[in-house]
Amino acid sequence: MLPRALAIAAATVLFLAALEPAAAFDSVDDERVWALEGVAVIDVRTGDVLPDRTIVVRRGIIRSIAPTSTANVPDEAIVVEQRGAYVVPGLWDMHVHIRGGSRLEGANERWLAQYLGFGVTAVRDAGGDLPDAVLRWKAAIESGEIPGPRIFTSLQKIDGPDGAWGGSIPVAASEDIAPALEELAVGGADFIKIYDGSISPRVFLEVLAEAERRGLRTAAHIPLSVPFEDAVDAGLDSVEHAFHLVKAAHPRDRAESRRFERDGIPLEFEPFFVAVAELGAKADDAQARRIFRKMAARGTALTPTLYIRTVWNGIRDYDTYQDDPRLADVPTEILATFEPGLDVLANRTAAERASDERLEAMSLHLTRLAAEEGVTILAGSDTGVSNPFAYPGDSLHHELEALVDAGLSPLQALQAATIEAATWLGKADELGTIEEGKAADLLVLGGNPLVDIRNTRAIVAVVQQGVYFDSGELAALRRGRPRE
């Protein structure tokens, strides 16, 4: 996908240069009124394109949207003319990880800036081991102290007694559930992330039920020992990673779940995914569609994270991707965390690679079926420390392409990274669409993404909380450097 993306970027260089204005507004508290003039506004709810509009912004809020010929722009307003450009809401990456321990705090902060450089104005942090730093960065970004995307976070994961990731909250028995949920809710978590490292099937379902009772949103890896339908019935709000859908599609999922509970689940990376792929070999479309209709009725979303599996399946040896220019912008400390995963992926057997490729194909197929049955799709990249060759912001654009490759329309892919994301987090009244009274989180593009989803890369400018970032500032942010 990288060569295609570079071609799109190269084709729009002259267009972007022609549209480049001077940056004039650089504070979330800026009292000055400014206007983005002559743009085509894309309504991500309907797919309508409203031509030649002027958007007036003050103190980070969209004050008006009107045809340019009739727009009421205050005399004192700073006007930025962007005729020929398209404007969509800022993008959301709904599956990232901010983690790595205290020694990687500085590197994670630089990485956060990179999301904004690629037009990602909000992220959903799906659990890590830096909860205090994440809350500090969340506040600093909202106040405009540092550049980065709005952060919505689970803080830490909930897992069993032997958590697979550092910082996880261990929940071994029923009596551990309420204190864990209380700790996260009081601590400022926007949702609850449940991981499948060592949590028991019974406790997993009890966590979901208790979170549902408390009105807490949940996202999870569904353990192989838990029937997929039971997780949906218990109130799960988001299934993370499309490979878990093979259980929804298995006609004997309940019996297979009992087998995994009895015999154990493979803990190592490749044996785990070989086991998942074996389940996928028995997938039945009719069974899958039945479960997906239940997910749609219940409101259980899917965050497929398709692109990262494509990247990993492309690894044949240690040299794969070593000439990728994006590596130059990865902080050295984070780059070192790619090595263990690269070791595993580069040393797969031919049979393991073939198994992973079959699972990738099945994940694409089941994502398409889920979308056809009305399941809410959320766009997420799985970018984070220890996940090799996933990059802040850039990988989200690849994920949008992967969703279209799976069978979604460009509009559906765009919705997965805008209005559906905001709605899932209960923020649709403030974010996710371009409307009067909503936050001015905007992506200004040199091409129409409804015609070609790759046009989300043709970035002219990014606006977040009313703060305007021009192409020069975006280039610096993509390298993890704050604006001067």
Side-chain angles (χ1 to χ4, degrees):
M1 293 183 181
L2 185 60
R4 288 198 300 167
L6 292 175
I8 286 287
T12 57
V13 165
L14 292 178
F15 179 78
L16 303 188
L19 292 177
E20 191 62 76
F25 0 91
D26 52 16
S27 168
V28 296
D29 296 318
D30 202 323
E31 292 283 355
R32 290 173 292 181
V33 179
W34 67 277
L36 194 58
E37 186 176 86
V39 296
V41 174
I42 293 179
D43 184 337
V44 294
R45 293 186 190 276
T46 64
D48 292 338
V49 180
L50 309 176
D52 196 16
R53 263 29 180 198
T54 290
I55 303 171
V56 177
V57 177
R58 180 175 177 272
R59 289 185 64 83
I61 301 298
I62 297 171
R63 301 301 177 178
S64 67
I65 306 170
T68 298
S69 61
T70 60
N72 182 18
V73 180
D75 292 340
E76 71 276 15
I78 301 166
V79 176
V80 177
E81 185 175 333
Q82 301 261 24
R83 294 189 182 277
Y86 294 81
V87 181
V88 298
L91 302 177
W92 296 52
D93 190 330
M94 290 293 281
H95 194 115
V96 309
H97 294 285
I98 307 173
R99 64 190 178 201
S102 58
R103 68 183 183 87
L104 291 183
E105 277 195 28
N108 271 288
E109 184 174 330
R110 295 196 299 278
W111 242 23
L112 280 171
Q114 292 187 13
Y115 285 105
L116 192 57
F118 284 95
V120 175
T121 58
V123 298
R124 186 181 66 163
D125 168 37
D129 56 1
L130 291 169
D132 294 338
V134 167
L135 290 174
R136 187 173 67 249
W137 292 327
K138 179 176 183 175
I141 288 167
E142 289 174 355
S143 68
E145 181 183 342
I146 63 172
R150 299 174 190 266
I151 299 174
F152 300 92
T153 180
S154 67
L155 295 178
Q156 298 158 273
K157 296 181 178 75
I158 284 180
D159 201 344
D162 301 309
W165 289 92
S168 297
I169 297 176
V171 176
S174 301
E175 55 267 27
D176 300 328
I177 296 172
L181 294 176
E182 188 72 13
E183 177 184 345
L184 290 168
V186 171
D190 297 294
F191 68 103
I192 304 300
K193 170 68 180 297
I194 313 167
Y195 200 73
D196 60 342
S198 62
I199 195 166
S200 74
R202 177 180 58 81
V203 171
F204 177 87
L205 293 172
E206 288 179 357
V207 171
L208 287 178
E210 180 61 16
E212 179 77 357
R213 190 185 71 80
R214 292 170 177 251
L216 300 172
R217 296 178 186 84
T218 52
H221 289 212
I222 299 178
L224 297 184
S225 54
V226 172
F228 192 101
E229 189 170 7
D230 287 1
V232 175
D233 288 341
L236 177 60
D237 294 306
S238 177
V239 176
E240 302 306 297
H241 312 300
F243 62 77
H244 285 293
L245 298 181
V246 300
K247 292 183 89 295
H250 199 292
R252 300 185 69 252
D253 180 32
R254 195 166 298 279
E256 290 297 309
S257 298
R258 288 195 296 269
R259 176 175 68 83
F260 281 114
E261 182 177 10
R262 181 187 69 242
D263 300 340
I265 299 170
L267 299 179
E268 296 80 11
F269 185 89
E270 273 306 315
F272 173 83
F273 282 107
V274 167
V276 175
E278 289 173 352
L279 291 175
K282 301 291 179 63
D284 177 79
D285 283 3
Q287 165 71 6
R289 287 184 182 277
R290 181 183 73 81
I291 300 298
F292 295 157
R293 286 193 292 271
K294 175 173 281 196
M295 288 176 66
R298 164 63 184 72
T300 304
L302 167 67
T303 312
T305 67
L306 299 169
Y307 172 64
I308 194 169
R309 298 299 306 182
T310 300
V311 170
W312 290 354
N313 285 347
I315 293 174
R316 290 293 180 266
D317 53 42
Y318 286 98
D319 291 332
T320 309
Y321 304 131
Q322 293 307 312
D323 59 350
D324 189 332
R326 295 173 295 181
L327 288 173
D329 296 327
V330 179
T332 303
E333 310 95 312
I334 292 178
L335 192 60
T337 72
F338 287 4
E339 293 177 6
L342 178 57
D343 285 344
V344 171
L345 294 164
N347 288 294
R348 288 176 297 175
T349 66
E352 287 171 336
R353 289 196 189 100
S355 175
D356 286 344
E357 289 168 359
R358 288 193 296 272
L359 182 57
E360 178 187 353
M362 181 56 64
S363 296
L364 285 162
H365 173 68
L366 293 174
T367 295
R368 177 179 64 81
L369 297 189
E372 288 178 355
E373 295 298 338
V375 174
T376 295
I377 307 297
L378 305 174
S381 69
D382 208 7
T383 296
V385 167
S386 299
N387 282 358
F389 310 116
Y391 305 98
D394 182 78
S395 288
L396 191 276
H397 292 277
H398 283 290
E399 182 67 16
L400 297 181
E401 294 175 38
L403 291 174
V404 172
D405 289 343
L408 277 69
S409 70
L411 176 60
Q412 287 175 308
L414 200 57
Q415 289 169 336
T418 54
I419 183 57
E420 298 292 11
T423 299
W424 192 91
L425 280 158
K427 298 296 180 181
D429 289 342
E430 311 163 40
L431 299 160
T433 58
I434 303 174
E435 298 180 70
E436 294 177 2
K438 287 194 173 184
D441 284 15
L442 310 171
L443 185 56
V444 185
L445 302 172
N448 186 348
L450 300 181
V451 173
D452 187 336
I453 194 62
R454 292 173 295 171
N455 280 325
T456 60
R457 295 181 170 280
I459 300 174
V460 177
V462 173
V463 181
Q464 189 202 38
Q465 302 182 94
V467 178
Y468 181 92
F469 296 87
D470 65 22
S471 65
E473 292 173 309
L474 295 176
L477 288 169
R478 289 169 187 167
R479 288 166 174 76
R481 299 168 187 160
R483 69 189 303 175
E484 296 293 333

